[in-house]
Amino acid sequence: MKNFQIIKSLSTASAVSGMKKEASAMYIAGGTNLVDLMKKNIAAPEKLIDITGIDLKAISFSDKKVTIGALAKNSQVAEDASIRENFPLLSLALEAGASQQVRHMASVGGNMLQRTRCSYFYNTDMPCNKRIPKSGCGAIGGANRMHAIFGASDSCIAVHPSDMCVALAALDATVTVESTKGKRQIKFTDFHRLPGNKPEKDNTLENNELITSVEIPNNNFKKNVHYLKVRDRTSYAFALVSVAAALEIQNNTIQDVRLAMGGVAHKPWRLTEAEQFLKGKTVSDTVFKQAAELAMRDARGYGENNFKLTLAPNAIIEALTIAASK
Amino acid sequence: MDQNKADHKETGEDLGASRRDFLKKSSLLTALALAPPSLVLASEKKWDEKIAAYIETVPLSIEVNGTKHTLNVEPRTTLLDLLRENLQLTGTKKGCDHGQCGACTVHVNGIRVLSCLTLASMQQNAQVTTIEGLSKGKKLHPMQEAFIKNDGFQCGYCTPGQIMSGIACIKEGHANSREEIREYMSGNICRCGAYHNIVDAIVEVKEGGKQI
């Protein structure tokens, strides 16, 4: 690892102004992804701004929403009794991710900023447009079993690895960020971006912006929710495909529904068309199957990941079925 | 937090930056004063900066297994390397060094973390417990005894991490069934495949109800 300077910031204001001064500085919180990337020389900041001393760890509830501080740990959020009761989908998604040691270290903001686990991104002997723009994509025509089936481009077919983000996309969360220019809010589904011809850019954060919190509006998805994660082993593996499903059911009729997928795109993939279709329908295997077909309309495989074209719709049906039966 | 106190602290922390700038400037001045061609070349190639980076360390106070240490570390030193290389506590193992195997699991302020992905320079005043800190004199910790009794290992390389994780698993309240233990121990890989016996050991300690 290249050596660097480290400075501890104790306020958001000092962190963002410190970042503005240094072109090659990066924020560090849990470090579970960044330290790994630095060991592999994929990230080589000259300065790290340690933000762990900033007071951004609280989870606060109001009659309209929950506000989760960007420095709240993944395990802290997952095991918070009120989160479990009011936003169970978020707890399920968090607990499906990583291991308990990593969840104890990783922050909510950092989870959102984790880089893809595409093996070409991690292998510095290989071309990767995300790591080195215009160097080519090894995964297209290569080993792409883990890769995208939605929204990919000719320059990148990598997927976003987070489970937490899939639940946050489904639950209409909003991200609050702060910079030297002030605060702004970003809709969670607009936070991460599709690769297009700029796969090096994972998200819509600008220059010195720091994530300070994530808000989720209160909802009625307290019972019929499920996070289904299909992976190569039962635990501690990234998703081949995951589905966050939340249903509000009254008299067997779907009043409201949220669906999002992980492991299939460069960002958490919200299934809005399938949601629209399901609203007002009576719960049945048939409508779940139709919703899954609708969700898969624009999907395409890249060779080794063609199995996801069958796995994904099956996972949607399974997640909806399990959620409905709770 | 008290804002004045915070500002004061930050000013203190920023001293590292100005010290580095001083080193850079002073080595550059030395180079220019002596001025043989090789040294001018050195400053052009930013060697002075590299030298400054090399000798740049940050002061760290850390408590490991009840013993306080005050030392200087490079910002890039991981907690794992600090334990093994600086403090000669080699019980904590380096497996993958990338957060995938759990062999380096230690407790920081009572919480299990991966020491290979933890920067020592970010652990100011932390209390660390490693496998060496578990026994009381010659009396092994109940989890260590249970691993021996239940054959919770073959080669033993993952064992320190498994034991640290197993203790935390019970303390966190995630050892209520074999399934839950397996899920919450999934960050600790055992290539000998001693998983069944590791779960046996954790169940035994949990049901034994001893203070851990």
Side-chain angles (χ1 to χ4, degrees):
Chain A
M1 197 193 306
K2 233 185 77 181
N3 209 3
F4 49 85
Q5 280 185 284
I6 189 157
I7 287 197
K8 188 160 182 149
S9 273
L10 295 173
S11 71
T12 307
S14 79
V16 297
S17 66
M19 181 62 91
K20 199 185 174 189
K21 280 183 241 156
E22 301 277 339
S24 136
M26 290 179 87
Y27 298 121
I28 185 164
T32 56
N33 192 208
L34 182 56
V35 173
D36 192 26
L37 292 169
M38 287 166 68
K39 284 185 179 186
K40 292 188 179 252
N41 219 18
I42 295 166
E46 285 179 15
K47 184 183 265 187
L48 286 183
I49 300 178
D50 173 2
I51 57 169
T52 55
I54 305 176
D55 189 13
L56 292 172
K57 296 180 186 75
I59 306 172
S60 54
F61 298 85
S62 77
D63 53 358
K64 288 199 177 71
K65 64 187 181 195
V66 59
T67 305
I68 302 169
L71 289 172
K73 298 294 185 188
N74 284 199
S75 55
Q76 175 197 345
V77 180
E79 300 184 29
D80 183 282
S82 298
I83 292 282
R84 245 190 234 291
E85 189 187 335
N86 298 303
F87 305 92
L89 185 63
L90 180 59
S91 283
L92 291 172
L94 278 163
E95 285 171 341
S99 68
Q100 186 75 339
Q101 288 100 309
V102 175
R103 291 191 292 266
H104 281 332
M105 301 168 73
S107 65
V108 165
N111 186 320
M112 291 165 56
L113 297 178
Q114 61 181 308
R115 310 297 312 268
T116 184
R117 260 63 180 189
C118 172
S119 50
Y120 294 92
F121 177 74
Y122 264 86
N123 188 338
T124 48
D125 293 331
M126 289 286 179
C128 170
N129 288 321
K130 188 182 274 300
R131 182 166 30 80
I132 304 170
K134 316 281 182 218
S135 63
C137 172
I140 296 173
N144 54 33
R145 187 170 168 272
M146 301 296 289
H147 290 69
I149 54 171
F150 291 112
S153 73
D154 292 342
S155 59
C156 182
I157 59 170
V159 298
H160 194 262
S162 169
D163 293 297
M164 179 195 80
C165 291
V166 180
L168 290 174
L171 295 174
D172 278 342
T174 307
V175 187
T176 304
V177 302
E178 206 169 317
S179 72
T180 42
K181 288 179 191 160
K183 281 186 190 183
R184 74 178 174 119
Q185 290 206 306
I186 309 168
K187 258 178 74 180
F188 199 87
T189 43
D190 294 334
F191 182 83
H192 297 96
R193 55 185 296 285
L194 289 177
N197 57 8
K198 274 197 177 165
E200 69 275 17
K201 218 167 147 35
D202 292 347
N203 55 58
T204 50
L205 278 181
E206 288 162 17
N207 298 330
N208 54 21
E209 280 179 334
L210 176 70
I211 302 169
T212 53
S213 66
V214 179
E215 290 175 3
I216 312 171
N218 287 349
N219 59 53
N220 292 319
F221 303 116
K222 301 199 197 317
K223 180 169 166 269
N224 297 112
V225 300
H226 191 62
Y227 188 76
L228 179 70
K229 186 175 180 184
V230 186
R231 43 188 158 171
D232 286 331
R233 57 185 182 200
T234 318
S235 182
Y236 204 24
F238 290 102
L240 291 164
V241 163
S242 70
V243 182
L247 293 161
E248 187 188 339
I249 302 171
Q250 273 174 20
N251 304 321
N252 219 28
T253 301
I254 300 169
Q255 301 293 325
D256 201 359
V257 54
R258 300 289 171 74
L259 276 174
M261 296 188 86
V264 294
H266 197 259
K267 61 188 281 186
W269 196 248
R270 182 84 178 259
L271 309 177
T272 37
E273 271 184 76
E275 289 176 8
Q276 286 304 322
F277 168 81
L278 284 170
K279 259 182 211 169
K281 299 277 191 311
T282 304
V283 172
S284 76
D285 294 347
T286 314
V287 296
F288 289 167
K289 191 160 177 259
Q290 287 169 334
E293 279 168 14
L294 206 52
M296 293 303 293
R297 228 173 31 188
D298 298 323
R300 65 160 286 197
Y302 288 85
E304 287 190 8
N305 72 346
N306 287 352
F307 73 97
K308 288 193 184 182
L309 300 175
T310 311
L311 179 63
N314 286 345
I316 295 170
I317 297 166
E318 180 80 356
L320 283 167
T321 307
I322 295 172
S325 69
K326 280 188 182 173
Chain B
M1 188 177 288
D2 176 15
Q3 191 59 43
N4 292 332
K5 193 177 162 195
D7 286 340
H8 176 71
K9 177 93 185 288
E10 271 171 6
T11 314
E13 299 279 356
D14 274 334
L15 285 176
S18 46
R19 192 179 71 227
R20 186 179 186 217
D21 288 343
F22 170 76
L23 283 167
K24 273 201 258 176
K25 282 175 198 150
S26 60
S27 57
L28 182 64
L29 285 174
T30 312
L32 289 174
L34 296 172
S38 63
L39 280 179
V40 176
L41 182 70
S43 74
E44 275 170 11
K45 288 196 170 174
K46 293 198 169 178
W47 287 352
D48 51 340
E49 202 165 328
K50 285 174 189 165
I51 293 163
Y54 180 73
I55 55 176
E56 175 83 6
T57 57
V58 292
L60 174 71
S61 295
I62 193 165
E63 189 180 315
V64 181
N65 301 329
T67 305
K68 285 194 175 136
H69 299 273
T70 305
L71 60 176
N72 291 305
V73 295
E74 284 189 16
R76 65 181 163 180
T77 305
T78 61
L79 178 58
L80 175 60
D81 286 340
L82 177 87
L83 293 169
R84 293 182 57 86
E85 309 294 335
N86 297 54
L87 303 179
Q88 281 72 52
L89 292 169
T90 52
T92 305
K93 297 295 183 248
K94 183 179 277 195
C96 69
D97 206 25
H98 289 283
Q100 297 173 7
C101 76
C104 67
T105 302
V106 299
H107 298 177
V108 174
N109 300 326
I111 306 288
R112 57 170 153 163
V113 299
L114 300 173
S115 60
C116 77
L117 294 182
T118 302
L119 293 176
S121 51
M122 290 171 66
Q123 304 308 312
Q124 200 63 253
N125 300 322
Q127 291 183 320
V128 179
T129 306
T130 70
I131 189 79
E132 289 95 338
L134 293 181
S135 61
K136 290 197 173 116
K138 288 194 171 172
K139 174 77 180 148
L140 292 179
H141 184 279
M143 190 65 80
Q144 292 173 307
E145 283 177 343
F147 265 66
I148 294 167
K149 188 180 155 199
N150 291 281
D151 256 344
F153 50 85
Q154 282 186 45
C155 83
Y157 197 80
C158 72
T159 311
Q162 299 280 2
I163 288 176
M164 298 313 289
S165 218
I167 293 167
C169 188
I170 295 176
K171 283 187 174 170
E172 289 161 6
H174 290 304
N176 299 306
S177 67
R178 293 188 75 90
E179 291 70 34
E180 191 182 22
I181 291 170
R182 289 185 78 99
E183 172 60 38
Y184 281 85
M185 290 295 290
S186 70
N188 292 80
I189 310 290
C190 168
R191 288 295 74 146
C192 301
Y195 296 114
H196 190 274
N197 298 358
I198 292 169
V199 175
D200 283 349
I202 296 171
V203 168
E204 186 175 298
V205 176
K206 167 83 182 354
E207 289 176 353
K210 277 190 198 161
Q211 180 76 31
I212 55 168

